[in-house]
Amino acid sequence: MEELLYKDYLEKDDIVRLLSLQGDEMKRLFKRAMEVKLQYLDNKVHLRGLIEYSNRCRKSCLYCGVRGLNDKVHRYTLTDEEVLDCARQALDLHYGSIAIQSGERNNKAFTDKITELVREIKRLSDGKLGITLSLGEQSEEVYRQWFEAGAHRYLLRIEASNEELYYKIHPKDERHDFHKRLACIDSLLKIGYQTGTGVMIGLPFQTVEDLADDLLFFRRKNVAMVGMGPFIPHQETPLWSYADQIPPAEERLNMTLKMIAVLRLMMPEINMVAATADQTLDPMGREKAIMAGANVIMPNLTPMGHREDYLIYPDKACVGDKPEECFSCLDLRMKAIGHEILYDAWGDSVAFTKGR
Ligand code: 5AD
Ligand code: FES
């Protein structure tokens, strides 16, 4: 195993082996991933203030609590002023970047509104705030329009890179097309976004081979950012009926940490998020992810009154914490594990900046 931890180019068999480690060997993997991270990226943690813009969604992914077909959700869209207030708050808290996330919508009124908001945030922050978008699948033209308005990073998780598994967790119809999603990731890369993708871990029907293939997919696409988090079943979704067939919480979190650690060995300079879902399964989940190789955290900036309506999975951590509370909490938590938050910086992916 020691040899694998220092191997230049991990093959699928190696990855499966590393993802199967338990106990002390698993801890050794985390330690090595942390060492690699410190070597390439230092002990710096980047923040992205998360703005959950709207929970209206044209899709109905089988795992997602805000899927369009869940009629128990109260639907909302933030007003322009609410979004701009979030951006101002990010500036006040010295977060260098924000991420705007929303359910998927394609109509022109929506896509033009986003363009306008991106421009306005650029203007009010004097170009200081980095802007990440996470607004689902769009046409190349729309992606380009948003890029030209000033967004420079985009997150679109593939969710499962195995087509068969993809269709077990999405309805099989033209709105949930695996190949369309792949094409979107390619468009984002082509336009020049720092592109992020990722998967959920611990899904029903998911095997360790699938997970190894997910990591190979990230490497093959040469993405700049990856977000991976444990699957957390939501009662108002179709996948709830498989909740008793997935690994227990601790195992799902450990597998998430192993995925982060192995990917850090494979792609030492990318940005990787310590997901809020990690902390939902374990009060120290995000710290554990940082200690296994992650370097980004996304504190929530959504106005308090709308957070309960954006529960893509249940019991989401920090939902009741005001932005200024998260700010000091995170600063302390990161210091406690020997890390330092980098304020007032975009925190671009080193892999992307160096053109790797
Ligand atoms: N559990 C964990 N993560 C989820 N996501 C959606 N539903 C769930 C769930 N039940 C993730 C998806 C999506 C991101 C915004 O949240 O990966 O891309
Ligand atoms: Fe909204 Fe999947 S349910 S994108």
Side-chain angles (χ1 to χ4, degrees):
M1 175 195 74
E2 223 19 60
E3 215 174 286
L4 286 186
L5 296 180
Y6 290 86
K7 194 170 166 184
D8 273 344
Y9 196 84
L10 294 171
E11 308 287 348
K12 182 163 176 187
D13 286 353
D14 304 328
I15 297 171
V16 169
R17 171 115 193 274
L18 289 170
L19 293 178
S20 310
L21 297 177
Q22 303 287 343
D24 286 345
E25 287 193 318
M26 175 177 79
K27 290 199 183 121
R28 174 71 189 104
L29 164 66
F30 297 160
K31 197 161 159 247
R32 175 64 192 143
M34 168 88 154
E35 210 172 271
V36 171
K37 182 180 79 169
L38 291 179
Q39 184 188 333
Y40 285 88
L41 306 178
D42 204 357
N43 66 341
K44 302 292 181 283
V45 172
H46 304 301
L47 300 183
R48 320 278 179 236
L50 177 64
I51 304 172
E52 294 157 333
Y53 175 59
S54 172
N55 64 0
R56 295 203 164 88
C57 189
R58 62 189 284 271
K59 289 185 150 178
S60 265
C61 305
L62 303 181
Y63 44 82
C64 181
V66 302
R67 63 201 300 269
L69 288 174
N70 181 1
D71 55 18
K72 297 212 173 139
V73 175
H74 168 256
R75 303 285 164 178
Y76 75 91
T77 301
L78 299 184
T79 63
D80 296 1
E81 214 31 58
E82 280 174 316
V83 175
L84 301 179
D85 276 345
C86 289
R88 287 186 199 104
Q89 196 156 27
L91 276 175
D92 288 347
L93 294 172
H94 301 276
Y95 293 176
S97 263
I98 55 166
I100 304 177
Q101 191 176 80
S102 161
E104 191 173 301
R105 278 149 83 191
N106 299 133
N107 61 73
K108 193 163 176 333
F110 175 81
T111 59
D112 284 349
K113 172 57 72 187
I114 297 292
T115 307
E116 189 189 317
L117 286 170
V118 169
R119 282 209 194 104
E120 192 53 32
I121 292 168
K122 278 280 151 196
R123 201 190 57 73
L124 78 82
S125 73
D126 222 356
K128 279 204 200 79
L129 278 179
I131 304 181
T132 306
L133 298 180
S134 182
L135 307 168
E137 294 170 28
Q138 304 289 343
S139 67
E140 191 163 314
E141 198 186 320
V142 165
Y143 283 149
R144 204 175 289 280
Q145 189 181 316
W146 291 343
F147 187 74
E148 281 161 9
H152 65 134
R153 291 193 276 247
Y154 203 101
L155 302 171
L156 186 68
R157 289 189 180 179
I158 188 69
E159 313 296 359
S161 68
N162 172 335
E163 183 170 359
E164 235 173 89
L165 178 57
Y166 187 88
Y167 285 119
K168 286 184 176 147
I169 61 169
H170 296 95
K172 209 164 185 170
D173 61 28
E174 70 288 351
R175 286 190 189 201
H176 302 81
D177 183 327
F178 178 69
H179 292 280
K180 166 95 197 298
R181 202 161 184 88
L182 285 178
C184 282
I185 294 175
D186 288 339
S187 298
L188 292 165
L189 288 163
K190 184 171 106 191
I191 292 168
Y193 278 101
Q194 278 180 59
T195 304
T197 189
V199 293
M200 284 171 288
I201 294 157
L203 289 164
F205 318 109
Q206 190 180 48
T207 65
V208 68
E209 280 78 20
D210 289 330
L211 291 169
D213 285 331
D214 289 336
L215 298 183
L216 292 169
F217 171 78
F218 305 150
R219 182 168 69 187
R220 197 163 63 245
K221 289 289 168 193
N222 194 20
V223 292
M225 322 182 288
V226 170
M228 299 184 277
F231 166 60
I232 303 173
H234 188 295
Q235 197 154 4
E236 298 303 328
T237 64
L239 285 192
W240 176 255
S241 49
Y242 297 89
D244 57 347
Q245 291 178 37
I246 60 169
E250 192 185 346
E251 226 174 280
R252 269 177 287 145
L253 180 63
N254 280 341
M255 187 53 92
T256 303
L257 301 175
K258 285 187 271 186
M259 287 284 281
I260 291 173
V262 176
L263 191 59
R264 181 56 72 201
L265 303 184
M266 295 166 67
M267 304 181 80
E269 294 175 323
I270 62 168
N271 278 346
M272 246 192 289
V273 69
T276 306
D278 297 330
Q279 198 179 331
T280 299
L281 293 190
D282 177 335
M284 292 292 281
R286 283 191 298 191
E287 281 91 334
K288 287 181 179 175
I290 295 286
M291 297 302 281
N295 68 323
V296 173
I297 291 188
M298 299 174 71
N300 202 339
L301 286 179
T302 309
M304 300 309 286
H306 293 295
R307 293 194 185 180
E308 292 289 342
D309 299 323
Y310 205 86
L311 294 183
I312 45 190
Y313 51 84
D315 307 318
K316 208 159 101 190
C318 307
V319 159
D321 300 342
K322 296 200 191 82
E324 54 277 22
E325 288 167 351
C326 277
F327 172 82
S328 46
C329 165
L330 278 176
D331 198 72
L332 281 172
R333 280 171 176 259
M334 290 303 113
K335 282 199 178 117
I337 54 169
H339 280 70
E340 190 195 328
I341 291 175
L342 206 62
Y343 292 106
D344 293 315
W346 283 13
D348 283 339
S349 146
V350 172
F352 182 86
T353 312
K354 289 194 186 159
R356 293 209 178 113

